[in-house]
Amino acid sequence: MSGTNGTIDTTNTAGTANPVIVVGSGPTGLLLAGDLATAGVPVVLLEKRPHKISNLSRAFVLHARTLEQLDARGLADDLEAAGRPLDRLRLFTRLTVELDTLPSRFNHLLVIPQYEVEKVLERRAVEAGVRFRYETEVTGLAQDADGVTVEVRGPGGKPDELRAAYVVGTDGMRSAVRNAVGLPFPGHSVIRSVVLADVKLAEKPATLLTVNAVGDAFAFLAPFGDGYYRVIGWHRGRNVPDSEPLDLAEIKEITRLALGRDFGMHDARWMSRFHSDERQAPAYRVGRVFLAGDAAHVHTPAGGQGMNTGLQDAANLGWKLAQVVHGHAGPELLDTYQGERHPVGRSVLRSSGGLVRLAMAKHPWTLALRAALTTVLNSVPPARRRMVGQITGIGYRYAAPRGAHRLTGTRVPDVALENGRLYQALRGGRFVLIIPKASGASESYDGRGGGQAGGQGAARKGRLAVERWASDRRTTVLVRPDGYVAWAADGADPAATEAALAAHVG
Ligand SMILES: Cc1cc2nc3c(=O)[nH]c(=O)nc-3n(C[C@H](O)[C@H](O)[C@H](O)COP(=O)(O)OP(=O)(O)OC[C@H]3O[C@@H](n4cnc5c(N)ncnc54)[C@H](O)[C@@H]3O)c2cc1C
């Protein structure tokens, strides 16, 4: 059943189907494919475009939780060097959120163009051995009990079929994969005729991010660091289709209305008019087919969460697919992807939609609501922490089974270990078991010593790192490859720890 287009062999050496096909090489697909290949899962990445990362960036912000995930792959330092950190986020006129107290190694947001993120992720995916097929568009798929047959149109329009055990659609908001499995994408347009451009400025703004709404106009300015600035504008009175021609004069006028001046904008390298939808697929999984990133959810750009949420989806799904493909976990592990990520997507839709509606408030009651919310967020620290946790992604926790330890499902910060720090220990897609300093020999857990667990520990070699707290903490914590707690116990109990390792690491 599997086929090739004559340029790249898409079957593995045994002539059987690919374990995983990822469709779409945006940021979500690149991270996911890179994670799978790093974990030793042969993966093919299909992309309908020719190979070229566009410098017409869409997203331009990485949030703290995404930077933590990238740190767990050794990629954060390069991106931090290329971007510009920002330690506060101004949401409305009287609401500025300080990020420097964020409980994360990355206590800021990083302004960086999406194409820089894609370049880093692509390089890593290539090095890990992902097989890329460009100019290959997925046109349909069918699944049966053993796998999925993917129909593609290859270079020159040549039809072909590929076979895989699992398929992940990271093919953006018009996802062909989502359509092929018959999932709807319910929702609606929130704002129409948003204008966007990357421009040079004759006059430098006083703050790194400049944002304001006055009357019917809203504008936002942020620097890319390469001499260009991203400007996003919207005017309530201009409700025109995306196809309506756009020139710099229109963008300048909206900017003047909202920000009081147009900063001498010139030399636009990109201009676009778009509308912003709020949509979410009701399911992220149908049998052997998964959705992630914009294919699963889209929302307004408020809060800069689009690319970040997709990257978190990928970080959640990658290690689970690897565990199942390698036979270290049963397929039921894959159900937790929907259970964990769908509620986060719903919450992002709500928070980004709420922000945009409040920013554009016009009627007396919405203005009063915005004023009240601003007061609450400025004066009630827990409410503020909750909002910052949602925007930066560090506030999410996943549901834990009944009776589980209170830490189960929580995000683990970059804690200090006797030999280094957690997000270094996670590199390579490993689980990390953190045990109290005073615990006895730990070699049996990961096969370094043979010991009581014998062959079981040896089978975990390379997939589990055993580390000790740098502090006197007495908890034992098993951290998943995506930095969330899989299991925890107060104190050290070798038998319970071994049982937890068998259940989670295999
Ligand atoms: C104008 C605009 C401004 C935005 N601004 C922001 C922002 O400020 N902040 C933010 O966080 N987010 C922003 N976003 C959203 C952000 O860009 C997306 O959330 C992010 O790109 C999603 O990544 P993805 O990998 O899921 O999908 P995409 O980046 O859309 O990638 C999908 C890939 O799949 C490929 N593909 C599609 N169909 C097929 C097919 N049938 N077969 C094979 N390949 C296929 C596409 O060519 C593409 O490469 C903006 C989006 C737009 C459109």
Side-chain angles (χ1 to χ4, degrees):
M1 181 60 85
S2 61
T4 71
N5 68 2
T7 52
I8 300 174
D9 182 9
T10 58
T11 55
N12 66 21
T13 45
T16 53
N18 302 287
V20 182
I21 288 178
V22 176
V23 184
S25 72
T28 310
L30 288 170
L31 181 66
L32 178 67
D35 280 3
L36 288 164
T38 302
V41 176
V43 53
V44 176
L45 182 49
L46 307 179
E47 169 57 55
K48 70 177 177 186
R49 290 174 295 135
H51 175 223
K52 183 177 177 305
I53 289 179
S54 164
N55 72 342
L56 305 179
S57 183
R58 297 188 287 166
F60 53 90
V61 162
L62 283 178
H63 282 300
R65 187 57 180 148
T66 314
L67 285 164
E68 290 177 346
Q69 293 290 1
L70 296 168
D71 190 24
R73 292 154 179 84
L75 303 174
D77 291 344
D78 282 356
L79 289 163
E80 288 266 291
R84 300 184 62 182
L86 186 70
D87 61 7
R88 67 191 56 198
L89 187 58
R90 190 167 156 211
L91 294 172
F92 321 123
T93 313
R94 284 176 42 241
L95 181 60
T96 301
V97 177
E98 314 289 340
L99 298 171
D100 52 0
T101 54
L102 211 59
S104 168
R105 177 183 171 82
F106 304 98
N107 57 348
H108 51 261
L109 61 79
L110 191 71
V111 178
I112 186 165
Q114 180 167 331
Y115 58 80
E116 292 291 351
V117 179
E118 290 181 12
K119 272 186 213 162
V120 167
L121 294 176
E122 187 193 75
R123 191 166 58 234
R124 167 185 182 249
V126 169
E127 283 168 9
V130 172
R131 286 174 294 158
F132 286 77
R133 285 184 62 156
Y134 291 100
E135 296 178 63
T136 303
E137 179 176 4
V138 170
T139 52
L141 59 79
Q143 51 179 322
D144 52 56
D146 303 323
V148 189
T149 302
V150 180
E151 295 159 22
V152 299
R153 201 162 32 225
K158 194 175 168 206
D160 200 354
E161 279 186 357
L162 310 176
R163 182 88 175 148
Y166 295 99
V167 170
V168 188
T170 55
D171 51 344
M173 87 173 268
R174 289 185 187 81
S175 173
V177 173
R178 189 185 63 233
N179 292 338
V181 292
L183 280 174
F185 205 33
H188 54 271
S189 286
V190 183
I191 34 176
R192 294 191 50 176
S193 199
V194 181
V195 296
L196 180 155
D198 289 355
V199 294
K200 289 193 169 166
L201 301 182
E203 218 186 298
K204 203 172 164 210
T207 50
L208 191 56
L209 287 193
T210 313
V211 56
N212 206 18
V214 174
D216 286 335
F218 165 90
F220 171 97
L221 265 181
F224 280 121
D226 62 355
Y228 281 90
Y229 283 73
R230 160 65 48 85
V231 52
I232 301 176
W234 183 73
H235 192 284
R236 199 186 307 272
R238 276 197 65 75
N239 196 0
V240 297
D242 294 354
S243 54
E244 185 86 0
L246 172 68
D247 59 19
L248 197 54
E250 180 180 339
I251 297 175
K252 279 181 164 184
E253 190 195 336
I254 295 174
T255 311
R256 276 197 299 271
L257 288 170
L259 302 179
R261 44 155 50 91
D262 63 24
F263 300 92
M265 279 175 204
H266 60 97
D267 284 343
R269 68 176 169 192
W270 185 40
M271 274 188 283
S272 167
R273 192 191 299 280
F274 69 102
H275 63 278
S276 191
D277 284 6
E278 240 171 38
R279 298 179 186 279
Q280 187 180 26
Y284 285 9
R285 177 187 186 186
V286 176
R288 293 173 168 275
V289 179
F290 298 82
L291 298 176
D294 276 17
H297 45 74
V298 289
H299 43 80
T300 78
Q305 297 172 83
M307 176 173 69
N308 288 274
T309 310
L311 292 172
Q312 298 295 333
D313 292 343
N316 185 287
L317 182 57
W319 70 269
K320 293 175 182 174
L321 272 172
Q323 282 286 93
V324 173
V325 167
H326 287 313
H328 301 310
E332 63 283 355
L333 176 64
L334 298 173
D335 290 333
T336 64
Y337 172 63
Q338 156 89 16
E340 293 181 346
R341 293 307 300 169
H342 195 273
V344 173
R346 195 167 52 228
S347 160
V348 173
L349 250 73
R350 266 203 300 260
S351 65
S352 73
L355 280 176
V356 111
R357 287 177 183 92
L358 289 174
M360 297 314 304
K362 185 176 184 197
H363 301 294
W365 70 269
T366 43
L367 286 167
L369 181 65
R370 184 169 84 188
L373 190 77
T374 302
T375 305
V376 169
L377 292 171
N378 276 328
S379 54
V380 183
R384 196 180 177 82
R385 268 199 300 278
R386 192 176 142 83
M387 183 193 63
V388 174
Q390 281 189 348
I391 292 178
T392 60
I394 68 163
Y396 289 110
R397 65 169 294 167
Y398 297 137
R402 192 181 286 272
H405 189 275
R406 66 189 181 284
L407 291 176
T408 308
T410 58
R411 153 194 168 267
V412 192
D414 191 22
V415 291
L417 305 171
E418 209 170 50
N419 296 311
R421 56 188 184 87
L422 176 64
Y423 282 74
Q424 281 170 333
L426 285 167
R427 289 180 187 171
R430 294 181 298 184
F431 284 83
V432 178
L433 177 70
I434 316 177
I435 58 175
K437 246 186 194 171
S439 308
S442 60
E443 287 79 5
S444 61
Y445 295 140
D446 61 356
R448 277 177 293 147
Q452 65 187 37
Q456 216 168 344
R460 292 180 199 130
K461 214 166 174 187
R463 297 188 296 116
L464 172 71
V466 182
E467 302 284 346
R468 292 169 196 271
W469 297 107
S471 66
D472 290 329
R473 212 169 153 171
R474 296 204 39 76
T475 330
T476 301
V477 176
L478 177 62
V479 185
R480 310 187 326 190
D482 60 353
Y484 291 83
V485 174
W487 172 88
D490 294 323
D493 176 344
T497 303
E498 181 48 46
L501 290 173
H504 293 280
V505 186

